Amino acid sequence: MKDIEILFENKPGQLALMGKTLGESDISLEGGGVFQTGNSSIAHFLVEEADRAKVELAKAGIKVTKISNVIIQKLRQDIPGQLGVFCKELADANVNILTQYSDHSNQLIVVVDNYEKGKQVSEKWMKKWWNNEDYII
């Protein structure tokens, strides 16, 4: 899975065109969102075939500005504060979060400035929080 970053004009129909284009190309969106920033909007979506999505969207006049690796992290929903604790661990490792959203399976999707270091934090997190059911914040 990869994150595609898209720059939209801030006008009606842009998201509809993106969704229609990807749907007709049999490319599924697995999570994401769109955020307005003045005269444009920035979208981030999780897709399995990012390079193909970029090509198909370009044919429709939609510009993918960036393709990024993602950290897919499952948080413990039974323990409040998981988002803050996980993000603090990334910060303590000097990893900056560039984009964050959820996928359709309620997993945290994170694009970071240092993917390899962020991946190490994520792997450590999984061992700490998912291998020890009795751990409490």
Side-chain angles (χ1 to χ4, degrees):
M1 293 286 194
K2 302 264 185 176
D3 173 84
I4 56 173
E5 179 182 279
I6 300 167
L7 186 61
F8 285 130
E9 292 179 63
N10 189 14
K11 66 180 189 181
Q14 294 292 284
L15 185 60
L17 176 60
M18 183 205 75
K20 180 177 182 286
T21 300
L22 292 178
E24 288 173 350
S25 301
D26 201 30
I27 298 172
S28 180
L29 298 173
E30 302 301 327
V34 180
F35 310 92
Q36 184 264 339
T37 61
N39 292 329
S40 62
S41 294
I42 296 174
H44 283 268
F45 284 97
L46 185 65
V47 296
E48 191 162 324
E49 298 178 82
D51 292 325
R52 193 163 76 82
K54 181 177 181 176
V55 169
E56 295 303 323
L57 290 171
K59 290 177 188 176
I62 297 172
K63 183 176 182 181
V64 173
T65 56
K66 190 174 173 185
I67 295 174
S68 300
N69 289 321
V70 295
I71 294 170
I72 300 176
Q73 185 63 63
K74 185 70 175 166
L75 300 179
R76 294 272 309 260
Q77 298 301 311
D78 59 324
I79 301 175
Q82 287 272 288
L83 177 64
V85 174
F86 178 68
C87 292
K88 172 99 170 58
E89 290 192 15
L90 287 171
D92 289 348
N94 201 32
V95 176
N96 188 33
I97 297 169
L98 306 174
T99 303
Q100 179 272 312
Y101 54 91
S102 297
D103 71 2
H104 296 161
S105 298
N106 297 317
Q107 297 177 109
L108 185 69
I109 306 302
V110 185
V111 177
V112 296
D113 65 345
N114 185 330
Y115 175 72
E116 290 304 321
K117 195 184 280 188
K119 190 173 154 186
Q120 290 172 358
V121 170
S122 178
E123 289 168 357
K124 184 178 174 186
W125 173 271
M126 289 301 290
K127 289 177 185 171
K128 176 179 179 179
W129 289 97
W130 289 98
N131 290 339
N132 182 355
E133 296 294 325
D134 297 324
Y135 196 91
I136 299 175
I137 296 177

